[in-house]
Amino acid sequence: HDVLSSRQITTSSSFPSTERTRTTTTSIEPLSSFSSSSKNNNNSKITDLRSDTLTSPTPSMLQTALRAPTGDDVLSEDPTVLSLEAYAASLFDKPSALFVPAGTMGNLCAILSHCHYNKSSEMIMGKHSHINLYEGGGYANLAGVSGKLVEEDEDGKMDVEDLRDAFRRDDDDHYAKTVLVALENTHNMLGGVAVEKGYVDGIGRLAKDEWGGEVKIHIDGARIFNAAISLGVSVGELCEGADSVTFCLSKGLGAPMGAVLVGDQEFIRLARRARKKLGGGMRQAGVMAAMGMYALENHVQRLAEDHERAKRLASGLHDMGFWLPRGGKVDTNVVFFGLPEDSKIKKEELPHLLFEKYGVKIAGGYSSGGKLFRLVTHMDVDDEGVEKAIEGIASLCVN
């Protein structure tokens, strides 16, 4: 990797009676210094499996940001943001796109846009979906939209008959009108399941053919590129049946921030208004957009490496008696596991001991009883880190 050393920043400030130029030398540290922590107390190299949001921007990505032309994105004048949005729209075969600070805001902008003209709106979503569980209830307390929850199966799908039962027209004063169905792909809480194109297309046909196009389909696609790589299709093909998609640049793709929302032009117009109301209007955002573009152009195909490492984690733990959903089957880069009944340590002890002794960070407390742990592979996790994680978990719990 190349290392950025230093750069000259020259600024001019004008005053009524004088003009001055200030030159400052700012040191930019090597890449390794950007990581949250590189060693634990035992001087072991840290492997952080808590999330794929923990990646550090690569030197080349940072170089791209420094060279990015910028403008005012609130005025739609940032050329780098416009390029990113156009590129994202083309990838998904949608007419338009909007760059937003985070995936949660992207989903909320989508809800506000789809429900803009229906003030007694209801959206159908999975009981275990990220929008329902982990986005602060924004659909209700910020968008004012009622939520109808439907149970998903282990493959991340809501049953079509359950969706039919949940659907409500605007013909009864007792009910909110169904305006939106939200899908999630990959499905985080069900273990990074990749939901196939046929299911997405089927839900799209249900909305158009049976519900007369009154209901829109939105995909929370925070990790949609992981799904596409796993299924061997393009994101455009995979999301053909949906009206809108949010995807994150800051998860497996490795950018430090940002998400993109795609859909038709009127949808994006209203989403842009929603972004402004939510405080997401950005000015010289091309600096961040440039890193997102770099991620899209350079980090998509390598997601397959993360998937292979996740499968190695899953198989290693499953073979040693740990419980994994779907019998240990893993589609992408997310692995959930539970301790064996005869584990030598309690679930509350594992994260601390694993980090202290092996330098491996994991996230725990998932599921209703807090029994599950989550491992997420990403571009800063290598084969050595995977083997160390398996060794550490096994040594602490079963060996």
Side-chain angles (χ1 to χ4, degrees), residues 9-301:
I9 303 174
T10 302
T11 60
S12 296
S13 301
S14 296
F15 296 89
S17 60
T18 184
E19 182 176 280
R20 65 181 182 180
T21 300
R22 182 177 72 255
T23 302
T24 306
T25 300
T26 301
S27 176
I28 299 180
E29 301 295 335
L31 176 63
S32 60
S33 68
F34 290 126
S35 61
S36 57
S37 181
S38 57
K39 298 287 182 68
N40 71 346
N41 292 335
N42 291 330
N43 206 36
S44 298
K45 177 185 174 183
I46 288 176
T47 298
D48 201 332
L49 292 164
R50 291 174 298 166
S51 177
D52 48 5
T53 61
L54 292 157
T55 55
S56 299
T58 66
S60 296
M61 186 181 284
L62 291 168
Q63 286 277 18
T64 300
L66 292 177
R67 294 192 298 265
T70 60
D72 192 323
D73 183 46
V74 171
L75 302 178
S76 299
E77 293 178 357
D78 189 302
T80 307
V81 171
L82 293 173
S83 294
L84 171 64
E85 291 171 341
Y87 184 56
S90 69
L91 288 176
F92 284 82
D93 296 324
K94 304 296 185 189
S96 195
L98 179 69
F99 181 49
V100 295
T104 293
M105 185 178 286
N107 285 334
L108 188 54
C109 286
I111 295 166
L112 284 162
S113 178
H114 283 306
C115 301
H116 183 82
Y117 296 110
N118 293 278
K119 297 308 178 186
S120 60
S121 300
E122 185 165 83
M123 62 180 291
I124 301 172
M125 67 191 121
K127 178 181 176 181
H128 302 287
S129 66
H130 196 276
I131 291 176
N132 179 47
L133 295 177
Y134 297 119
E135 299 188 7
Y139 67 88
N141 55 45
L142 295 175
V145 174
S146 175
K148 174 77 76 172
L149 304 181
V150 174
E151 187 76 40
E152 308 100 319
D153 64 19
E154 67 174 10
D155 294 320
K157 302 173 185 176
M158 296 177 282
D159 186 84
V160 173
E161 290 306 314
D162 290 339
L163 293 176
R164 288 191 174 107
D165 289 342
F167 172 72
R168 296 288 183 268
R169 295 188 186 278
D170 192 18
D171 58 1
D172 190 317
D173 293 342
H174 294 89
Y175 300 131
K177 178 184 178 182
T178 304
V179 174
L180 182 63
V181 175
L183 308 177
E184 185 172 332
N185 199 11
T186 64
H187 199 300
N188 174 41
M189 282 304 294
L190 294 175
V193 175
V195 180
E196 70 271 14
K197 171 180 167 59
Y199 176 76
V200 178
D201 288 347
I203 302 304
R205 286 193 299 270
L206 175 69
K208 290 179 175 62
D209 298 343
E210 294 191 28
W211 298 340
E214 297 178 9
V215 178
K216 301 301 181 182
I217 308 301
H218 173 68
I219 296 178
D220 173 8
R223 298 182 176 92
I224 193 68
F225 285 93
N226 292 88
I229 291 295
S230 175
L231 297 168
V233 298
S234 70
V235 289
E237 292 176 281
L238 184 55
C239 300
E240 183 179 3
D243 297 285
S244 61
V245 186
T246 300
F247 70 90
C248 285
L249 298 163
S250 58
K251 289 188 167 66
L253 296 179
M257 68 161 282
V260 180
L261 178 62
V262 298
D264 67 34
Q265 291 183 347
E266 176 62 7
F267 166 79
I268 292 297
R269 183 185 75 82
L270 295 174
R272 180 177 290 275
R273 290 173 63 91
R275 186 187 70 173
K276 184 64 175 174
K277 286 194 296 184
L278 296 172
M282 298 174 285
R283 300 300 177 175
Q284 286 68 43
V287 174
M288 304 309 299
M291 290 191 274
M293 178 71 90
Y294 183 91
L296 283 175
E297 292 178 335
N298 295 277
H299 293 165
V300 172
Q301 295 303 318

